Amino acid sequence: MHAPSASISRAQAIVAALLAAVCLVPFAYLAALSVADPWTFPALAPEGWSLARWGRMLTGAGALGPSLSLSLSLSLTVAIASTAAGYVTGKFIAYHPWRRRLLVLAYVPFVMAPVILGVCLMYLFLRMRLAGSVAGVMLAQTMFAYGFSIIFFNAFWSARLKAMEDLVATLGGTTAEAYWRVLLPVSVGMLLICFFQTFLISWFQYGLTLLVGAGKVQTLPLKVYDFVSEANMYYAALASCLLVLPPVALLWVNKRFVFRQGLGTT
Amino acid sequence: MHPSNGRAAADAFLTVRGLRKTFGDEPVLRGVDLRLPAHRTMSVLGRSGSGKTTLLRLIAGLERADAGTVVLGGRSLDGVPARERGAVYLYQESLLFPHLSVRENIAFGLTLGAHRGRDLDGEVEAMIDVLGLTAHADKRPHQLSGGQQQRVAFGRAVILRPKLLLLDEPFANLDAAIRTQMQDLFQRLAAAYQITALFVTHNLKEALLMGDRLAHLRDGILKTYDSRQAFVDDPVVGVRDEMAFWTALREETS
């Protein structure tokens, strides 16, 4: 009786391994390519392995280091600003009598593609001298991520949370105590998820960054594209690895601290 | 004025006069008056949508009344924010804070600005003991049953010794057996801590069991009764219909 279930679990294991391979092989290939020295067609394997390119990246060659720091600081700022603003605005809209009408406004950035949004904003950004600047790219990305954050938190603010806030008031607590002692601890999982999502929105943004940044704001996705168009596959692979590492780290943090501790606390 | 009403007004700890509230075009409360002496519980019976919750929210300061006054312990509550009223609201749901243990939930109000400085540990342990939750003190809310959660919610409110407890159908989500236990617990706590309470319910039996003062809210108009007999005799309340049903059933089955 146990044999069929054992064979089913073996089959499940094989399918799971295949799925994992499908997901991981492209990344493994990129990692291999970034340390290949050299790897030319039709060779099945590189002639050698070298960390020289990673070393040059760390010492500033190829401008990958500055692009990495720029992308990190840009995405962290966009994620923090849009998560914090979306948390507060989402609450305001959720309990507003005109909730539906206000929510439509938050959907506006999503109705059009980011590039179209960039084109619409371009005249304004040129007049404000924000085009071609990091501040302009940050603002444009934040506008997009902020809309997402509002929609995300609008669903989170429920009648139950409002009742909890009211309860703290009748127990003698101030608004600040309600936030600090109850609402923020209860929201921590959702805040982390929203931070993660908005970070990714900014991190992988290409079209909007290219347009508003006028090619002067060289984030990692732009660098990857540059290397690809130069047919510099080794540096393109290296830049792609850098592009993947922060999201993987955030995914690990989310898995470790959000899903394990339980979103079910709300 | 009826002599007993005059005496009640003089003794009243909670006095509500002419309370009105309209949402949009719909009047929810149409001039509610009530008087409740200290250390007494008034049951307010009413159907869903009769304005029971609105009445409690106005007294708690969670909604602003269109007109009317609320006086609690001789102090007018006009313009007084909810946190300074000394009226704690208990909901249908226990609304325990999920990131805190049972002990921390019960102690929560004592750690807020308004109550700091009291003997926190001693009072909390005593309350946990009274609630029969000693074995569960370090558990999180999701590890408790519905009845245990509601007991913690009671403890969290009563430990503050509020001037007024506002109970919004707190047992509605519990099954019959747990509901009876909770009714008994409330009566014990009310006696031990000399609680003054407004208890709203749509359950006729519960209204009679929990209140030593009785009122009926219908279409935004509150009618209070001088005695249980007057409450029972009022055909609008439905006690006579209920009694007739059970009498008929007994005759049918005996």
Side-chain angles (χ1 to χ4, degrees):
Chain A
M1 287 298 287
H2 292 288
S5 65
S7 66
I8 287 168
S9 35
R10 264 199 301 276
Q12 284 175 326
I14 291 166
V15 171
L18 282 172
L19 279 173
V22 166
C23 293
L24 293 176
V25 161
F27 300 109
Y29 176 68
L30 283 175
L33 201 56
S34 73
V35 290
D37 192 28
W39 193 356
T40 47
F41 184 81
L44 286 175
E47 289 172 25
W49 306 99
S50 165
L51 289 170
R53 265 180 234 106
W54 284 86
R56 280 199 290 277
M57 184 276 294
L58 290 171
T59 55
L64 271 178
S67 276
L68 178 65
S69 340
L70 175 66
S71 280
L72 272 176
S73 49
L74 193 64
S75 297
L76 284 173
T77 311
V78 168
I80 290 168
S82 54
T83 300
Y87 184 75
V88 178
T89 318
K91 184 185 177 196
F92 175 79
I93 293 176
Y95 302 142
H96 199 281
W98 297 352
R99 174 184 173 169
R100 287 189 175 192
R101 273 175 273 181
L102 289 171
L103 204 55
V104 168
L105 294 175
Y107 274 102
V108 168
F110 295 100
V111 174
M112 49 187 109
V115 179
I116 307 297
L117 177 70
V119 171
C120 297
L121 292 173
M122 205 53 196
Y123 175 74
L124 186 67
F125 275 47
L126 282 167
R127 291 298 300 263
M128 292 170 71
R129 299 187 178 181
L130 285 170
S133 71
V134 174
V137 172
M138 195 179 285
L139 187 61
Q141 288 190 358
T142 303
M143 286 176 74
F144 195 75
Y146 178 46
F148 168 84
S149 181
I150 290 173
I151 293 161
F152 181 88
F153 281 116
N154 184 69
F156 167 73
W157 290 109
S158 60
R160 191 168 187 273
L161 275 182
K162 181 78 179 81
M164 272 193 189
E165 192 178 353
D166 287 346
L167 175 67
V168 174
T170 71
L171 289 171
T174 60
T175 305
E177 283 171 323
Y179 268 95
W180 192 245
R181 303 279 307 278
V182 176
L183 297 179
L184 282 171
V186 164
S187 321
V188 74
M190 299 303 275
L191 283 166
L192 277 172
I193 290 176
C194 187
F195 172 82
F196 179 56
Q197 299 279 4
T198 48
F199 180 90
L200 290 183
I201 286 173
S202 166
W203 185 253
F204 291 117
Q205 191 58 253
Y206 177 78
L208 191 63
T209 308
L210 181 67
L211 195 73
V212 176
K216 295 178 192 167
V217 182
Q218 286 286 305
T219 57
L220 266 181
L222 267 69
K223 269 285 179 221
V224 171
Y225 191 79
D226 279 354
F227 288 133
V228 169
S229 37
E230 288 166 11
N232 191 340
M233 63 176 184
Y234 301 112
Y235 271 102
L238 174 54
S240 299
C241 287
L242 292 177
L243 203 56
V244 169
L245 281 177
V248 168
L250 272 179
L251 197 64
W252 179 81
V253 169
N254 254 13
K255 191 171 180 292
R256 179 88 171 76
F257 296 106
V258 181
F259 294 112
R260 187 167 295 179
Q261 286 182 8
L263 290 168
T265 53
T266 49
Chain B
M1 185 185 278
H2 190 280
S4 65
N5 283 351
R7 197 167 55 247
D11 297 341
F13 184 70
L14 169 69
T15 307
V16 175
R17 282 197 204 96
L19 211 56
R20 291 178 182 277
K21 182 70 182 174
T22 300
F23 289 114
D25 297 330
E26 193 183 341
V28 179
L29 294 180
R30 304 163 188 257
V32 166
D33 296 295
L34 73 84
R35 289 174 287 276
L36 179 63
H39 316 144
R40 293 284 179 267
T41 296
M42 176 181 275
S43 284
V44 178
L45 180 71
R47 292 180 187 160
S48 297
S50 60
K52 303 188 298 290
T53 296
T54 304
L55 173 63
L56 293 195
R57 288 182 64 80
L58 291 176
I59 294 171
L62 299 173
E63 297 274 357
R64 192 185 291 267
D66 297 335
T69 57
V70 178
V71 177
L72 183 62
R75 179 196 183 201
S76 170
L77 297 184
D78 289 354
V80 177
R83 69 174 185 278
E84 292 171 15
R85 291 193 172 203
V88 176
Y89 199 111
L90 274 168
Y91 293 77
Q92 237 175 62
E93 264 193 276
S94 60
L95 291 181
L96 299 184
F97 305 129
H99 56 294
L100 302 179
S101 67
V102 165
R103 181 180 280 108
E104 290 164 336
N105 263 287
I106 290 173
F108 184 84
L110 294 176
T111 63
L112 296 172
H115 303 279
R116 260 184 220 133
R118 284 168 58 172
D119 172 22
L120 205 143
D121 291 344
E123 287 188 56
V124 172
E125 294 310 319
M127 179 56 75
I128 290 171
D129 189 41
V130 167
L131 298 170
L133 290 168
T134 309
H136 307 286
D138 295 315
K139 287 184 179 172
R140 292 291 172 100
H142 71 271
Q143 296 173 293
L144 304 177
S145 69
Q148 287 169 334
Q149 288 183 12
Q150 202 57 286
R151 266 193 271 170
V152 178
F154 265 80
R156 181 176 60 185
V158 171
I159 200 168
L160 299 176
R161 298 175 194 265
K163 288 182 192 166
L164 180 67
L165 207 53
L166 300 164
L167 301 109
D168 190 353
E169 307 213 41
F171 311 138
N173 290 340
L174 304 176
D175 64 50
I178 304 292
R179 194 178 182 125
T180 306
Q181 286 176 20
M182 289 302 299
Q183 289 165 347
D184 179 55
L185 174 74
F186 173 74
Q187 283 169 330
R188 280 191 288 119
L189 286 175
Y193 289 86
Q194 299 200 306
I195 290 168
T196 308
L198 265 183
F199 190 108
V200 307
T201 179
H202 66 273
N203 185 310
L204 185 55
K205 184 180 160 194
E206 190 166 76
L208 283 162
L209 277 171
M210 303 307 293
D212 40 33
R213 297 287 188 278
L214 295 159
H216 185 242
L217 186 61
R218 189 182 186 192
D219 299 331
I221 296 168
L222 186 81
K223 185 174 180 185
T224 54
Y225 298 87
D226 289 336
S227 64
R228 290 170 79 81
Q229 190 60 51
F231 182 78
V232 169
D233 288 342
D234 188 343
V236 174
V237 174
V239 179
R240 293 286 178 200
D241 292 344
E242 192 85 359
M243 287 164 74
F245 171 80
W246 292 112
T247 306
L249 185 70
R250 191 174 60 186
E251 284 169 3
E252 185 185 312
T253 54
S254 60

